């Protein structure tokens, strides 16, 4: 599709509809799900680098005991914005990018249901990111309150906190619009014959995730708005002196925060559920039970929020309830893991980069799940709460879980998106470097937490020195390995070998079976018929 | 995998266990518990971790078997089976049974943990930005009250005394005063805070409880052995969060009684005559100490604050302006900023600190704030 020759074009006349606007306007005004998906993915990678630099500042300061590089208040700001940017700027938009690219192609739809809203939900992200970055330069520096923004620390923070609150409002609007779009697209725009229980699992996981987002983003917006009015308009939601309760904030935040964990994890499950069967050359072992397990996890995720607050103070009966409800999540999560392993069983396995990342995900995410089970037991959690054990636990889930799955997805679909193949050798290098350095960084943090190192401290006593040094070395290795990823992707786009339409012989969803590589700018204008 | 492959893996396994043994000097597990409850928690953690490890090895044993045996490169053809009700029911029910088996001991331990009734000694721990205050409320030692602050020298932290830091076994885990308790007695700790949420945590005693401003929470421990146990604030509470440790000293009963007597004597000796007339120099000297304990973290020893975050006092209009305004600000704090209310300090301490700020650095008001001024505005 070329729009190069238009010098004699009459500008008073509308261009042909199939032609896309050229230059920057192609992106600014885009209503094309593929272009918007691309923008989401590049945006999230840029945020991944910003959040990564923040992580490296944290790990540099923690390289050895004492305060060497940054002041404690700046350190606190780094931990805060590292978390916010990675969660809201990197991981969530990455999976929305996947959703944009893949859902219409996988269900045989021409585009998303609301293309203009799709444009808006992407273009809300850069201003929000700018607010988060601008917060670093507010008087007094960034708000060093932790990504959870607990009151009343957040009510006494400087103006950076207000920028952060507005950023969260905007990010929330973007997520809600994106979710409405995804739900509507999946429910209304499936090709004839594409029943719900025939959809690729990736679509199912996003359908469930989108409902979670619509349910909980307003809750977070409420929590930060209450913080805002406490700060400036004399309310006392979280101030005991005025009849409020600081712990109320935590209840509201985690009512959002726990489903948020699954908002990140469930699309990751979806990607892995596409990749593992493709490279096992064997259908997913239990499609229906995967759908039910995903839905169960989503429903349970609304009922367990206070397991983040075992030390905050609540009646023992409530602690018992939240403990029992939390361990229940292990059952559907186990079902998923068993399903993936059973899918591989007696398959015909090959180990290209997407499969390697999917297996890395499976192995390490399960490890993170097990430490989650350890943390769900109240008496044990009381020892481990707010220590590096928790830091290790959620990085196994977020990095080795969500991020590895995103890498698996990108290597898997790059040939379809660009029409070119990435360099398999370099891809494998990227995987092994990431795997090794990830574990060097985070495995030792379990020991730090067990031995009693609290999280979010810029300096520590000497018995923690060795493991912190190892962790910092790992973090730099991990960070640098991601530059290799950038190189691989750019090289693939510019000079990769031509990819086949069905690059992976085991891949059987519509985008592989019905569309050429690269997928044309407009696909499925006439819906395919699914048998 | 041939015999050779097996040997390679065995060698790798041996290397792994050797390296674990070589690392034994590093802390790889929870601190050694000093209470019976702590031991229960320690055992609970061990049991869960072992169960998880066994399941992990089992599941990934299957996976790695498939990875090695069912790969295309060894010519394995894909079977096309899927769905098997019996298998799916089994892998739902078996984990459920294991989880119930775990929940039972956890429930018992939790119920014991939360039973704070009939304590021998009750101590209130109050979190401040950034120190702990302790009030002995009930039991032997009733009425004792003190603050406890980090005693590691700043020079060791900021790197001007690295040798001192490396020679300090309790770097960042030492305080000027210890929370002293008797051995073998049930000690109930009430936690609260004056400004933001803190958390009172001593790993060896297996207690961690958030200190929430405006609310009282409680926890308890009964130490089995005399000794000194160290912990830290566990909830992010602002810039000095990493610098407000907790040191609990467990004493034999006789030593504890002696400590209580000495403390009470100290309290009596330190009692200041409320009608005493203070000179400017006396106030300034005492005020310097109060400033160092309460104000210096934000406003700095130079009085210059931290630009953008914490205002300078040197040359400040509030500090050099009318006394009453400054007193009110310090008594009530400033809503929406890190400036907390300092009502908990005595009239003498507040008057002295204010006098110090009005007559230090570039501030030369020559005015003294006397305790009566503070009292009048409370």
């Amino acid at each position: 599709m070329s729009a190069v020759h238009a010098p004699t074009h009459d500008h008073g006349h509308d261009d042909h509809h199939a032609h896309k606007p050229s230059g920057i306007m192609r992106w600014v005004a885009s209503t094309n799900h593929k272009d918007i998906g691309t923008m989401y993915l590049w945006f999230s990678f840029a945020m991944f680098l910003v959040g990564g630099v923040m992580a490296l500042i944290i790990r540099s300061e923690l390289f050895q005991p004492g305060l060497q590089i940054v002041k404690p208040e700046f350190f606190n700001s780094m931990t805060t914005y590292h978390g916010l940017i990675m969660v809201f700027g990197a991981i969530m938009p990455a999976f929305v990018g996947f959703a944009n690219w893949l859902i219409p192609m996988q269900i045989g739809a021409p585009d998303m249901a609301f293309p203009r809203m799709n444009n808006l939900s992407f273009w809300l992200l850069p201003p929000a990111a700018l607010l988060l970055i601008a917060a670093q330069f507010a008087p007094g520096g960034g708000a060093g309150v932790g990504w959870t923004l607990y009151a009343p620390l957040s009510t006494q923070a400087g103006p950076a906190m207000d920028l952060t609150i507005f950023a969260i409002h905007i990010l929330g609007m973007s997520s809600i619009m994106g979710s409405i779009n995804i739900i509507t697209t999946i429910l209304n725009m499936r090709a004839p014959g594409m029943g719900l229980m025939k959809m690729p699992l990736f679509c199912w996981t996003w359908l469930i995730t989108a409902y979670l987002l619509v349910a909980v983003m307003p809750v977070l917006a409420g929590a930060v708005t209450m913080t805002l009015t406490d700060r400036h308009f004399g309310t006392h939601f979280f101030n005991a002196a005025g009849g409020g309760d600081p712990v109320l904030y935590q209840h509201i935040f985690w009512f959002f925060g726990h489903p948020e964990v699954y908002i990140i994890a469930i699309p990751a499950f979806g990607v892995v559920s596409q990749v593992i069967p493709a490279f096992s050359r064997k259908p997913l072992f239990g499609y229906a039970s995967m759908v039910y397990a995903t839905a169960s996890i989503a429903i349970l995720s609304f009922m367990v929020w206070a397991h983040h607050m075992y030390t905050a103070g609540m009646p023992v009966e409530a602690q018992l309830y939240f403990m029992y409800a939390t361990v229940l999540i292990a059952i559907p999560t186990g079902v998923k893991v068993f399903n993936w392993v059973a899918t591989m069983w007696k398959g015909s396995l090959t180990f290209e980069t997407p499969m390697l990342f999917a297996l890395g995900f499976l192995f390490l995410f399960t490890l993170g799940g097990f430490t989650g089970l350890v943390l769900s037991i109240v008496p044990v959690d009381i020892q481990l709460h707010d220590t590096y054990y928790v830091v290790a636990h959620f990085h196994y889930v977020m990095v080795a879980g969500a991020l590895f799955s995103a890498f698996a997805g990108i290597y898997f679909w790059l040939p379809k998106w660009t029409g070119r193949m990435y360099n398999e050798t370099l891809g494998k290098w990227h995987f092994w470097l990431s795997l090794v350095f990830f574990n060097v960084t985070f495995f030792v943090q379990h020991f730090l937490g067990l031995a009693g190192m609290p999280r979010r401290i810029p300096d520590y006593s000497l018995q923690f020195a060795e493991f912190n040094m190892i962790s910092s070395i790992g973090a730099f290795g991990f960070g640098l390995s991601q530059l290799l990823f950038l190189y691989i992707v750019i090289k693939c786009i510019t000079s990769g070998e031509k990819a086949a339409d069905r690059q992976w012989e085991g891949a059987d969803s519509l985008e592989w079976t019905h569309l050429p590589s690269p997928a044309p700018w407009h696909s499925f204008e006439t819906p395919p018929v699914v048998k | 995998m041939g015999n050779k492959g097996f040997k390679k893996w065995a060698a790798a396994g041996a290397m792994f266990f050797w390296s674990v043994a070589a690392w034994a000097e590093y802390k790889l597990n929870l601190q050694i518990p000093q209470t019976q409850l702590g031991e229960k928690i320690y055992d609970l953690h061990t049991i869960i971790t072992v169960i998880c490890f066994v399941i992990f090895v089992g599941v990934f044993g299957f996976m790695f078997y498939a990875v090695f045996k069912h790969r295309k490169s060894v010519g394995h053809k894909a079977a096309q089976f899927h769905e098997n009700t019996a298998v799916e029911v089994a892998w739902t029910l078996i984990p459920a049974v294991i989880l119930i088996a775990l929940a039972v001991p956890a429930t018992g331990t939790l119920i014991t943990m939360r039973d704070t009734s009939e304590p021998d000694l009750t101590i209130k721990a109050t979190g401040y930005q950034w120190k702990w205050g302790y009030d002995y409320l009930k039991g032997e030692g009733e009425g004792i009250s003190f603050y406890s602050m980090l005693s590691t020298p700043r020079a060791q932290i900021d790197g001007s005394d690295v040798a001192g830091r490396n020679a300090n076994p309790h770097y960042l885990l030492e305080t000027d005063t210890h929370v002293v308790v008797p051995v073998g007695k049930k000690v109930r700790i009430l936690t609260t805070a004056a400004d933001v949420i803190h958390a009172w945590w001593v790993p060896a005693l297996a207690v961690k409880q958030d200190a929430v401003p405006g609310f009282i929470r409680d926890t308890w421990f009964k130490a089995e052995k005399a000794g000194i146990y160290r912990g830290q604030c566990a909830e992010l509470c602002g810039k000095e969060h990493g610098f407000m440790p907790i040191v609990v000293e467990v004493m034999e009963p006789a030593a504890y009684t002696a400590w209580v007597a000495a403390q009470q004597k100290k309290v009596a000796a330190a009692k200041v005559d409320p009608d005493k007339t203070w000179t400017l120099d006396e106030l300034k000297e005492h005020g310097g100490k109060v400033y160092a304990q309460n104000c210096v973290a934000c406003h700095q020893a130079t009085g210059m604050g931290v630009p953008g975050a914490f205002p300078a006092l040197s040359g400040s209009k509030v500090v050099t302006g009318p006394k009453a305004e400054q007193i009110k600000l310090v008594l009530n704090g400033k809503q929406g900023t890190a400036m907390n209310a300092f009502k908990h300090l005595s009239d003498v301490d507040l008057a002295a600190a204010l006098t110090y700020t009005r007559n230090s650095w570039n501030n030369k008001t020559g005015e003294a704030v006397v305790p009566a001024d503070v009292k009048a505005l409370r």
Side-chain angles (χ1 to χ4, degrees):
Chain A
M1 200 155 307
S2 117
V4 198
H5 308 290
T8 56
H9 197 82
D10 179 7
H11 286 282
H13 205 79
D14 262 12
D15 202 349
H16 190 274
H17 285 295
H19 284 235
K20 50 191 164 191
S22 56
I24 183 104
M25 286 316 284
R26 169 181 170 188
W27 303 101
V28 173
S30 180
T31 52
N32 179 289
H33 73 101
K34 299 188 181 81
D35 282 358
I36 292 172
T38 305
M39 288 195 289
Y40 263 108
L41 288 166
W42 278 112
F43 172 83
S44 88
F45 188 75
M47 287 295 107
F48 175 58
L49 293 185
V50 173
V53 168
M54 291 175 167
L56 293 185
I57 293 172
I58 294 169
R59 283 315 323 168
S60 304
E61 179 53 55
L62 293 173
F63 185 67
Q64 51 185 25
L67 293 177
Q68 281 90 17
I69 298 167
V70 298
K71 292 211 161 83
E73 53 270 36
F74 184 68
F75 181 91
N76 288 345
S77 161
M78 287 297 101
T79 56
T80 306
Y81 292 92
H82 164 70
L84 288 171
I85 286 178
M86 285 304 199
V87 168
F88 293 106
I91 299 274
M92 286 170 66
F95 285 108
V96 183
F98 280 106
N100 259 294
W101 256 105
L102 297 169
I103 289 173
M105 294 201 293
Q106 290 192 330
I107 62 173
D111 204 307
M112 297 293 281
F114 306 113
R116 288 173 197 227
M117 189 163 84
N118 205 11
N119 172 291
L120 181 58
S121 57
F122 170 75
W123 281 107
L124 283 172
L125 294 179
L130 287 179
L131 281 176
L132 288 179
I133 292 165
Q136 307 309 311
F137 305 100
V145 296
W147 86 279
T148 49
L149 313 173
Y150 274 12
L153 193 59
S154 58
T155 51
Q156 67 162 225
M161 190 64 213
D162 302 315
L163 298 179
T164 308
I165 289 172
F166 289 132
I168 288 174
H169 280 144
I170 296 172
L171 290 163
M173 283 188 252
S174 161
S175 289
I176 291 169
M177 281 192 255
S179 305
I180 291 171
N181 219 338
I182 288 168
I183 294 171
T184 316
T185 307
I186 293 179
L187 293 185
N188 290 326
M189 296 177 66
R190 296 189 313 281
M194 176 62 82
L196 278 175
M197 291 306 275
K198 272 191 182 169
M199 290 196 302
L201 209 72
F202 176 76
C203 298
W204 255 114
T205 56
W206 248 114
L207 180 62
I208 291 166
T209 303
Y211 274 107
L212 284 182
L213 273 167
V214 171
V216 301
M217 290 312 286
V219 177
L220 176 66
V224 295
T225 307
M226 287 153 95
T227 307
L228 188 74
T229 60
D230 266 15
R231 287 166 58 78
H232 297 296
F233 306 113
T235 57
H236 296 104
F237 293 111
F238 310 129
N239 178 359
D245 182 352
V247 179
L248 171 66
Y249 176 84
Q250 300 181 18
H251 282 290
I252 304 173
F253 179 84
W254 286 113
F255 191 81
F256 147 80
H258 197 77
E260 170 69 16
V261 173
Y262 294 101
I263 286 167
I264 289 171
I266 289 178
F269 297 159
V271 170
V272 168
S273 302
Q274 302 297 119
V275 172
I276 288 183
F279 294 92
S280 303
R281 291 162 184 79
K282 187 164 161 280
L284 197 63
F285 176 78
Y287 175 91
S289 72
M290 282 297 241
V291 172
Y292 301 143
T294 310
S296 318
I297 291 176
I299 291 164
L300 281 173
S301 76
F302 285 107
M303 306 180 191
V304 296
W305 74 91
H307 69 212
H308 298 267
M309 305 164 49
Y310 285 151
T311 67
M314 69 181 101
V316 64
E317 295 82 357
Q319 285 181 322
L320 286 172
Y321 160 72
F322 281 109
M323 174 167 75
Y324 301 150
T326 303
V327 295
L328 274 185
I329 295 187
I331 296 173
T333 312
V335 167
K336 292 180 104 44
V337 171
F338 298 141
N339 258 305
W340 288 318
V341 173
T343 303
M344 291 168 63
W345 190 254
K346 291 194 186 294
S348 178
L349 304 173
T350 53
F351 302 94
E352 290 86 346
T353 310
M355 183 62 163
L356 288 177
F357 270 108
L359 296 184
F361 161 92
L362 184 52
F363 193 71
L364 296 175
F365 174 83
T366 305
L367 209 161
F370 277 128
T371 54
L373 186 62
V374 171
L375 287 170
S376 71
I377 304 296
V378 184
V380 179
D381 178 77
I382 284 177
Q383 279 289 50
L384 297 175
H385 179 74
D386 269 331
T387 68
Y388 262 82
Y389 191 91
V390 176
V391 176
H393 157 69
F394 69 71
H395 281 94
Y396 269 80
V397 178
M398 296 282 154
V399 181
L403 183 64
F404 274 28
S405 144
F407 283 143
I410 285 170
Y411 285 112
F412 187 62
W413 280 294
L414 257 184
K416 181 52 65 185
W417 294 342
T418 65
R420 292 171 186 276
M421 264 304 277
Y422 60 90
N423 182 319
E424 193 64 66
T425 312
L426 288 180
K428 284 182 176 159
W429 268 102
H430 175 223
F431 168 72
W432 287 108
L433 287 171
S434 296
L435 181 82
V436 169
F437 283 122
F438 170 80
N439 283 294
V440 171
T441 311
F442 293 108
F443 198 76
V444 293
Q445 292 184 359
H446 293 114
F447 301 134
L448 286 172
L450 286 166
M453 180 169 162
R455 66 193 281 206
R456 295 168 169 165
I457 57 172
D459 192 6
Y460 47 83
S461 56
L462 303 179
Q463 79 252 33
F464 304 128
E466 287 84 0
F467 286 140
N468 268 297
M469 190 176 278
I470 293 171
S471 180
S472 292
I473 293 169
F476 274 87
F478 188 82
L480 293 175
S481 307
Q482 306 320 313
L483 298 179
L484 176 61
F485 171 67
L486 180 63
Y487 173 78
I488 295 169
V489 171
I490 290 175
K491 193 143 181 289
C492 166
I493 295 171
T494 55
S495 60
E497 280 172 40
K498 181 97 187 64
D501 292 346
R502 190 170 178 179
Q503 181 64 34
W504 316 112
E505 56 172 337
D508 59 358
S509 44
L510 291 182
E511 79 275 26
W512 297 107
T513 53
H514 282 61
L515 293 174
S517 295
W521 206 50
H522 288 301
S523 45
F524 293 133
E525 280 166 312
T526 358
V529 178
V530 182
K531 287 188 290 290
Chain B
M1 208 187 320
N3 195 23
K4 219 168 153 190
F6 174 76
K7 270 190 186 150
K8 216 163 77 188
W9 282 101
M15 282 289 285
F16 173 75
F17 284 108
W18 176 81
S19 62
V20 167
W23 275 14
E25 61 189 285
Y26 300 115
K27 296 248 163 68
L28 298 175
N29 204 341
L30 290 165
Q31 293 186 16
I32 297 158
Q34 301 295 338
T35 66
Q36 285 178 5
L37 202 49
E39 275 164 25
K40 277 193 188 165
I41 296 171
Y42 189 97
D43 294 343
L44 203 51
H45 172 257
T46 308
I47 294 167
I48 301 165
T49 308
V50 168
I51 290 176
C52 289
F53 184 75
V54 170
I55 299 174
F56 192 78
V57 169
V59 172
F60 287 97
F62 270 98
M63 189 189 90
F64 280 110
Y65 185 85
V67 163
F68 288 108
K69 292 286 188 180
H70 303 157
R71 50 169 68 208
K72 197 182 176 193
S73 56
V74 298
H76 197 272
K77 294 268 182 303
Q80 292 299 314
F81 67 84
H82 58 93
E83 314 224 340
N84 180 324
T85 312
V87 172
E88 291 178 65
V89 168
W91 73 33
T92 309
L93 287 185
I94 294 170
V97 172
I98 295 173
L99 291 173
I100 291 169
L102 272 180
V104 171
T107 303
T109 309
L110 179 63
I111 288 171
T112 325
M113 277 178 100
R114 291 299 303 273
D115 177 15
T116 54
S117 61
E118 295 173 22
D120 299 307
L121 176 63
T122 304
I123 303 173
K124 183 174 78 166
T126 309
Y128 297 93
Q129 286 174 313
W130 292 272
K131 61 175 179 281
W132 289 96
Y134 296 99
D135 298 282
Y136 286 56
L137 297 182
K138 213 164 173 209
E140 190 183 0
E142 195 172 317
I144 295 173
S145 171
F146 54 86
Y147 294 104
S148 181
M149 295 181 59
L150 178 73
S151 61
T152 303
R154 276 279 141 183
Q156 291 185 10
I157 297 169
D158 67 22
S160 46
D161 180 14
V162 176
R165 173 165 75 217
N166 291 336
N168 184 351
H170 304 305
Y171 175 68
L172 295 187
L173 294 179
E174 49 191 351
T175 54
D176 53 355
T177 53
H178 294 176
V179 189
V180 179
V181 298
V183 75
K185 291 273 164 37
K186 184 169 183 176
V187 181
R188 179 179 179 220
I189 301 283
L190 305 178
T191 62
T192 185
D195 32 51
V196 299
I197 302 173
H198 303 265
W200 199 84
W201 179 34
V202 183
L205 301 175
V207 284
K208 184 186 285 148
Q209 186 63 54
D210 285 7
V212 182
F215 291 85
I216 303 269
R217 310 284 194 222
D218 66 350
T219 182
W220 70 275
F221 64 87
K222 189 198 260 180
E224 299 292 319
K225 218 167 72 191
I228 294 180
Y229 307 112
R230 296 164 198 278
Q232 280 176 277
C233 175
E235 181 67 59
L236 179 64
C237 57
K239 84 182 181 76
E240 303 287 305
H241 162 55
F243 306 94
M244 50 181 292
I246 296 146
V247 180
V248 176
E249 187 168 352
V250 179
M251 285 184 175
E252 295 297 339
Y256 179 72
T257 308
W259 177 82
V260 168
Q263 288 297 307
Q264 279 161 347
K265 220 190 252 164
K266 231 166 63 193
V267 172
K271 216 169 215 155
V272 199
D273 175 7
D275 300 324
K276 174 178 169 174
T277 339
W278 292 76
T279 68
L280 179 71
D281 285 338
E282 280 173 338
L283 279 170
K284 204 180 145 186
E285 196 209 325
H286 179 59
K289 287 182 213 148
V290 179
Y291 184 85
Q293 288 206 339
N294 296 284
C295 322
V296 80
C298 297
H299 295 298
Q300 308 292 319
T302 56
M304 296 309 294
V306 175
F310 307 111
L313 298 185
S314 181
S316 147
K317 283 205 181 96
V318 180
V319 179
T320 54
K323 279 193 269 188
E325 291 308 308
Q326 193 192 3
I327 296 170
K328 273 192 231 159
L329 178 69
V330 173
L331 276 176
N332 302 321
K334 193 168 176 192
Q335 180 80 39
T337 71
M339 180 65 195
N340 295 311
F342 282 86
K343 267 194 277 229
H344 55 276
L345 296 180
S346 71
D347 293 343
V348 174
D349 285 353
L350 280 176
L354 294 181
T355 307
Y356 175 78
T357 60
R358 297 173 79 85
N359 296 285
S360 299
W361 319 298
N362 293 330
N363 304 342
K364 299 191 173 67
T365 58
E367 267 181 313
V369 176
V370 296
D373 293 340
V374 179
K375 200 172 175 191
L377 288 167
R378 257 194 208 268

